[in-house]
Amino acid sequence: MATTNDLKNGMVLVIDGQLWSVVEFQHVKPGKGPAFVRTKLKGVTSGKVVSKTFNAGVKVETANVDRRDMQYLYNDGTGFVFMDTADYEQLTVPEDVVGEAANFLLEGSETIVAMHDGLPLYLDMPASVVMEITHTDPGLQGDRSSAGTKPATLETGYQIQVPLFLETGTKVKVDTRSGEYLGRVND
């Protein structure tokens, strides 16, 4: 148990038997009336985002979430297989839990897997990853007023928009939250 004063981003709460992750919180002290905490919560299993308001100092139940450093090994068709870097135990994480993170998982890459009672809840990916462009058409100069972009396919098969000057084989930095191109990486 914790109070609303102890809330932090990423903390997992148990509300009505469901797990909710704190995305954002704000302590509000109006001029009139008692203080309260306005939160934005994301359902760990459903991914649904809701706003909830708590009175300041109210006790909330926290979930015991075990965050482990793991290395992605391979996809076996039924799920994604990860290895715990501490004890070398392997864990298969279902595709629905991995979700959009699958677009940025390369064999051998490190990530954090959050678990509750032995069940994987979600992946905590790094903010950006470096990937190689496996296919993109040559950029053609045309008549346009601003810099153009073109589609490019990454190692995982995910498509992003990149500037016209990039070629196949170029390594790029990609934002794992939005899937946007962040820049070229020089080796």
Side-chain angles (χ1 to χ4, degrees), residues 134-172:
T134 55
H135 174 74
T136 188
D137 295 326
L140 299 173
Q141 288 295 98
D143 51 345
R144 61 187 167 274
S145 60
S146 63
T149 60
K150 62 182 178 179
T153 306
L154 301 175
E155 295 172 78
T156 58
Y158 185 66
Q159 276 204 339
I160 62 170
Q161 292 292 319
V162 297
L164 291 172
F165 62 85
L166 292 179
E167 300 170 355
T168 300
T170 306
K171 291 194 177 205
V172 294

Side-chain angles (χ1 to χ4, degrees), residues 65-72 82-91 93 109-125:
V65 176
D66 184 19
R67 297 166 56 87
R68 297 184 186 175
D69 290 322
M70 294 202 169
Q71 182 180 23
Y72 171 60
F82 290 86
M83 177 183 68
D84 193 327
T85 55
D87 61 9
Y88 305 110
E89 246 184 71
Q90 291 186 6
L91 169 75
V93 179
S109 60
E110 302 273 329
T111 187
I112 295 173
V113 178
M115 301 181 59
H116 176 67
D117 292 339
L119 292 170
L121 298 175
Y122 59 90
L123 296 186
D124 196 359
M125 295 288 290

Side-chain angles (χ1 to χ4, degrees), residues 15-171:
I15 300 172
D16 299 329
Q18 293 185 345
L19 297 176
W20 297 88
S21 176
V22 178
V23 176
E24 189 177 293
F25 69 96
Q26 178 183 19
H27 290 277
V28 179
K29 188 163 182 170
K32 188 175 184 181
F36 61 92
V37 179
R38 186 179 295 134
T39 62
K40 190 179 281 187
L41 305 172
K42 180 178 181 182
V44 172
T45 52
S46 65
K48 182 176 157 185
V49 178
V50 298
S51 295
K52 187 159 177 66
T53 304
F54 297 98
N55 289 331
V58 171
K59 291 194 181 289
V60 288
E61 186 179 351
T62 58
N64 185 15
V65 176
D66 184 19
R67 297 166 56 87
R68 297 184 186 175
D69 290 322
M70 294 202 169
Q71 182 180 23
Y72 171 60
L73 299 178
Y74 57 90
N75 184 343
D76 67 359
T78 60
F80 293 80
V81 179
F82 290 86
M83 177 183 68
D84 193 327
T85 55
D87 61 9
Y88 305 110
E89 246 184 71
Q90 291 186 6
L91 169 75
T92 302
V93 179
E95 289 184 22
D96 60 324
V97 172
V98 174
E100 293 291 312
N103 297 324
F104 309 106
L105 279 176
L106 292 173
E107 290 184 7
S109 60
E110 302 273 329
T111 187
I112 295 173
V113 178
M115 301 181 59
H116 176 67
D117 292 339
L119 292 170
L121 298 175
Y122 59 90
L123 296 186
D124 196 359
M125 295 288 290
S128 64
V129 292
V130 175
M131 301 180 91
E132 187 176 317
I133 295 175
T134 55
H135 174 74
T136 188
D137 295 326
L140 299 173
Q141 288 295 98
D143 51 345
R144 61 187 167 274
S145 60
S146 63
T149 60
K150 62 182 178 179
T153 306
L154 301 175
E155 295 172 78
T156 58
Y158 185 66
Q159 276 204 339
I160 62 170
Q161 292 292 319
V162 297
L164 291 172
F165 62 85
L166 292 179
E167 300 170 355
T168 300
T170 306
K171 291 194 177 205

